[in-house]
Amino acid sequence: MSVRRSRPDRILVVDDVYDNLLLIENILDDEQYSIELASDGFSALAAIDREPPDLVLLDVMMPEMHGYEVTRRIRDNDKLLSYVPILLVTAHDQTSAVEGLDAGADDFIRKPFDTEELLARVRSLLRLKHSIDEREEMLRQREDFVSRLTHDLRIPLVAADRMLHLFLQETYCPLSDDMKEALQVVIRSNDNLLQMVNTLLEVYRHDAGQKKLTLVPCNIKQLCQDVVQELNPLAQAKNLELTLETDAASEADAKEIKVLADQMELRRVFSNLIGNAIKFTDRGSIRIRLNQSEHNPTDLTVISNGWVTIAVQDTGAGIPLEDQAVIFERFRQGRNRRADSGLGLYLSRRIVEAHQGKIQVESKLGEGSTFTLYLPTRM
Ligand code: ADP
């Protein structure tokens, strides 16, 4: 696929020798290029910050800031939204361009250069730039599309859920027991689908930076208790013990374990962790432990008066070490055969991080897993 570009390609030429700048400007004198000149690394970086070019032609030997250093700074610049290719221009006696390429440059040419060769390398890097831009644009369009599609999918699923419940309540006609059972199966499947669509939509909201948290003081113990109560039938169906413990001296102390949080979002995290623990455990128990600690228990830099730790421990299948490293990433299911979409833990991590917290896993294959959340109390 090729995208027609509405403007000439912008090339930034950086060299401390004015004559060299003019020479390259003359060679590139073509209406399909718009040329900007910079006489040192600092002004080149400032120009890139102002308006990122489509290509940088960068002299290596410059006083004050070397071309390799300029290259490194361009590559370390998180504010650059699209890729900026770099062509290094090195002197003939500089034997190696390895350092420049390792610093992140895409290609190099030695001085004195052949005009045709310079033009060919410029064209080649601009082709690279165009194809990267096109791929990024396609990815962005696909994300937008999935987000809109997911949103639209919710409407018929919610409508179907309402209708199915009306049928089940015999609003339209009497039903036999077999019919009711069948309807219940359809309602559960529809609900699973709706949950999946909701999770996908939430993930896209977080990823697009559209998620706004509604922060209120939340009673963490109460929230955990609600989720435990809701999921207990699933644990009982598998003969699993599901318990919630706190280290608080009294019920009144436990009530004080509060976090400034978005209640719905935290509930989603607890449901996911406890739901996973039930799903991946066949015998034994699931213990949820709530603790308060004064000092930062992880390597987090957030300043807080205190921390709440919520640990969900199961005696289930466990997670192989290689999977532990990736399960918090998007669409990573691990290799457990019961895996679903692989979005639950990714979304949980995004939510916990949006609350300035952290989520970790410790697990042993065949023995079980413990997922631990750290949330700052700040109250
Ligand atoms: P999924 O929808 O696949 O459950 P998650 O993001 O919630 O997605 O979990 C990612 C993967 O991590 C799961 O597919 C599973 O392989 C592994 N996993 C998560 N929780 C547990 C657990 N408590 N015990 C064993 N494996 C787990």
Side-chain angles (χ1 to χ4, degrees):
M1 191 187 95
S2 98
V3 170
R4 204 179 286 263
R5 294 172 80 84
S6 55
R7 56 168 181 81
D9 286 308
R10 294 186 55 249
I11 302 178
L12 175 66
V13 186
V14 193
D15 201 309
D16 58 312
V17 179
Y18 187 63
D19 285 346
N20 289 345
L21 285 177
L22 289 188
L23 174 71
I24 294 181
E25 192 182 26
N26 270 332
I27 294 173
L28 298 177
D29 184 21
D30 186 313
E31 61 188 24
Q32 56 180 325
Y33 303 136
S34 139
I35 311 292
E36 192 173 349
L37 305 177
S39 58
D40 60 71
F42 292 104
S43 37
L45 291 171
I48 293 170
D49 269 346
R50 262 195 319 274
E51 192 179 352
D54 297 304
L55 172 64
V56 180
L57 250 72
L58 184 59
D59 183 34
V60 172
M61 289 302 285
M62 292 188 294
E64 292 183 31
M65 203 193 299
H66 208 269
Y68 298 155
E69 180 56 22
V70 180
T71 303
R72 261 187 288 275
R73 292 200 191 188
I74 294 174
R75 290 294 172 248
D76 288 346
N77 186 347
D78 297 334
K79 280 185 264 156
L80 285 177
L81 295 179
S82 62
Y83 190 72
V84 178
I86 300 170
L87 173 59
L88 290 178
V89 185
T90 67
H92 194 62
D93 53 357
Q94 285 170 277
T95 48
S96 167
V98 173
E99 191 183 345
L101 293 174
D102 280 348
D106 299 278
D107 200 356
F108 67 95
I109 187 165
R110 290 191 197 284
K111 284 193 264 191
F113 41 72
D114 174 68
T115 305
E116 286 309 315
E117 189 185 340
L118 177 72
L119 285 170
R121 287 191 194 276
V122 164
R123 284 194 299 272
S124 141
L125 286 184
L126 285 172
R127 273 198 304 276
L128 171 77
K129 163 75 177 160
H130 296 168
S131 80
I132 291 176
D133 282 0
E134 279 162 20
R135 205 159 352 126
E136 280 175 358
E137 175 60 17
M138 263 163 59
L139 274 177
R140 203 185 51 73
Q141 283 178 359
R142 196 162 61 192
E143 300 264 297
D144 282 358
F145 171 72
V146 174
S147 145
R148 256 179 289 127
L149 180 74
T150 315
H151 189 263
D152 291 349
L153 275 176
R154 282 193 80 247
I155 299 164
L157 287 173
V158 170
D161 185 62
R162 298 242 168 88
M163 292 300 276
L164 289 166
H165 273 100
L166 286 177
F167 266 111
L168 193 63
Q169 289 153 12
E170 302 188 324
T171 312
Y172 303 111
C173 58
L175 300 176
S176 70
D177 286 348
D178 283 352
M179 285 164 137
K180 283 185 185 166
E181 231 171 80
L183 260 182
Q184 259 151 355
V185 173
V186 181
I187 288 175
R188 269 201 302 278
S189 304
N190 193 69
D191 194 50
N192 279 343
L193 200 54
L194 187 58
Q195 296 306 334
M196 274 164 58
V197 167
N198 280 343
T199 303
L200 202 55
L201 192 58
E202 281 301 305
V203 164
Y204 280 104
R205 278 194 184 132
H206 273 274
D207 285 354
Q210 292 167 350
K211 188 71 201 173
K212 298 255 178 309
L213 297 182
T214 311
L215 299 178
V216 292
C218 290
N219 181 332
I220 290 293
K221 186 177 180 199
Q222 187 61 53
L223 206 57
C224 284
Q225 247 164 5
D226 290 350
V227 176
V228 164
Q229 212 169 9
E230 187 182 292
L231 297 182
N232 208 17
L234 294 181
Q236 277 171 350
K238 292 179 82 175
N239 256 331
L240 301 170
E241 198 187 349
L242 179 59
T243 54
L244 170 64
E245 304 153 23
T246 71
D247 68 346
S250 65
E251 194 58 26
D253 288 345
K255 268 203 184 124
E256 288 310 307
I257 308 184
K258 285 196 177 154
V259 168
L260 197 59
D262 187 311
Q263 197 141 324
M264 290 274 290
E265 296 296 301
L266 273 198
R267 204 189 158 95
R268 195 188 284 281
V269 176
F270 296 156
S271 285
N272 182 41
L273 295 185
I274 300 170
N276 273 351
I278 298 172
K279 182 163 74 173
F280 295 110
T281 304
D282 288 333
R283 74 183 74 86
S285 60
I286 290 132
R287 289 172 65 204
I288 299 136
R289 288 191 318 268
L290 231 69
N291 288 304
Q292 255 184 317
S293 77
E294 302 233 319
H295 59 275
N296 183 347
T298 66
D299 53 353
L300 284 177
T301 49
V302 176
I303 310 291
S304 168
N305 291 340
W307 294 81
V308 177
T309 313
I310 303 120
V312 179
Q313 182 179 23
D314 66 50
T315 53
I319 305 167
L321 207 58
E322 312 87 85
D323 287 355
Q324 289 176 36
V326 297
I327 50 173
F328 292 106
E329 288 169 20
R330 220 172 181 221
F331 301 121
R332 298 300 281 261
Q333 291 122 327
R335 65 201 68 170
N336 196 299
R337 272 180 287 121
R338 291 179 205 168
D340 287 322
S341 64
L343 276 175
L345 286 178
Y346 173 72
L347 184 56
S348 298
R349 174 170 70 84
R350 296 296 307 243
I351 294 171
V352 172
E353 286 173 357
H355 286 86
Q356 319 289 318
K358 184 161 181 152
I359 182 166
Q360 286 177 333
V361 64
E362 273 174 60
S363 184
K364 248 195 171 161
L365 217 49
E367 288 184 22
S369 316
T370 304
F371 284 84
T372 310
L373 301 186
Y374 301 95
L375 293 171
T377 46
R378 266 179 282 144
M379 317 205 80

